[in-house]
Amino acid sequence: MVLPIYIYGQPVLRKVAEDITPDYPELKPLIDDMWETLAQSEGIGLAAPQVGLPIRLVVIDLDAISDDLPQYKGFKQVYINAHIIERDDTATDSSEEGCLSLPAIHEKVVRPTRIHVQWTDEQFQPHDEWVEGYLARVMQHEFDHLDGHIFIDHISPLRRQLIKSKLKALTLGRYRCAYKTKPVRR
């Protein structure tokens, strides 16, 4: 089932998400729904807060960009209870980011190119690894959602001021996108 994506201004997007246990109700169907929602919205990552749930669950599908980055051919991964342990700030990269929760807004964001993450997979097997490159950027973007942050939190005050009217429009429900959304109710 395709779930509605919560739009900027929804309180759940600013909450710190909670870790879950293997007995979380309907976890497998939720993961399936998140995959379906991600595919329908043509995104590459989706965090549970973006579908209204303040839990530490993310799905990432980089297969869609494998024409440009062949190392991600077939890459699809579920991240449960994901946490960034450390950011290696010795090398950073500035790239444009967008977000399904902020339709039509794209800004350059500087992020470390290497991070240390801990997470569990769908079988609740633990993983502890250093991740580099584009996957590190996507993880930082998606895992930010788990900590109540959005990519625009990483842009300069001047850039934020310049997109202020666009952000206001989102909170008022004045936007268009090709996927199912849940705008802010005022």
Side-chain angles (χ1 to χ4, degrees), residues 61-107:
D61 180 355
L62 296 183
D63 188 59
I65 61 164
S66 64
D67 285 347
D68 293 327
L69 299 169
Q71 67 269 36
Y72 296 119
K73 181 75 178 154
F75 185 97
K76 282 180 75 164
Q77 183 63 56
V78 174
Y79 298 89
I80 299 171
N81 301 336
H83 295 271
I84 296 175
I85 306 306
E86 184 179 351
R87 288 175 170 85
D88 180 354
D89 291 324
T90 56
T92 60
D93 176 57
S94 177
S95 290
E96 190 172 273
E97 292 186 21
C99 181
L100 296 173
S101 293
L102 289 94
I105 295 179
H106 297 86
E107 291 291 327

Side-chain angles (χ1 to χ4, degrees), residues 3 10 16 26 42 49 58 76 86 102 109 137 160:
L3 304 170
Q10 287 279 6
V16 175
E26 303 293 316
E42 298 182 357
V58 167
K76 282 180 75 164
E86 184 179 351
L102 289 94
V109 177
R137 172 172 292 280
R160 251 188 104 107

Side-chain angles (χ1 to χ4, degrees), residues 156-168:
S156 72
L158 174 61
R159 288 300 313 155
R160 251 188 104 107
Q161 187 63 34
L162 291 171
I163 64 168
K164 189 175 182 178
S165 64
K166 289 180 181 179
L167 296 174
K168 179 72 171 171

Side-chain angles (χ1 to χ4, degrees), residues 2 9 14 33 36 50 67 70 82 95 106 121 126 153 169 175 186:
V2 174
R14 291 301 191 177
D33 290 348
E36 189 174 345
Q50 292 181 275
D67 285 347
S95 290
H106 297 86
D121 58 30
D153 297 343
Y175 61 88
R186 298 210 177 231

Side-chain angles (χ1 to χ4, degrees), residues 125-141:
Q125 295 301 306
H127 298 264
D128 184 324
E129 62 186 323
W130 282 92
V131 178
E132 297 183 28
Y134 191 73
L135 178 58
R137 172 172 292 280
V138 175
M139 284 178 151
Q140 288 172 86
H141 178 107

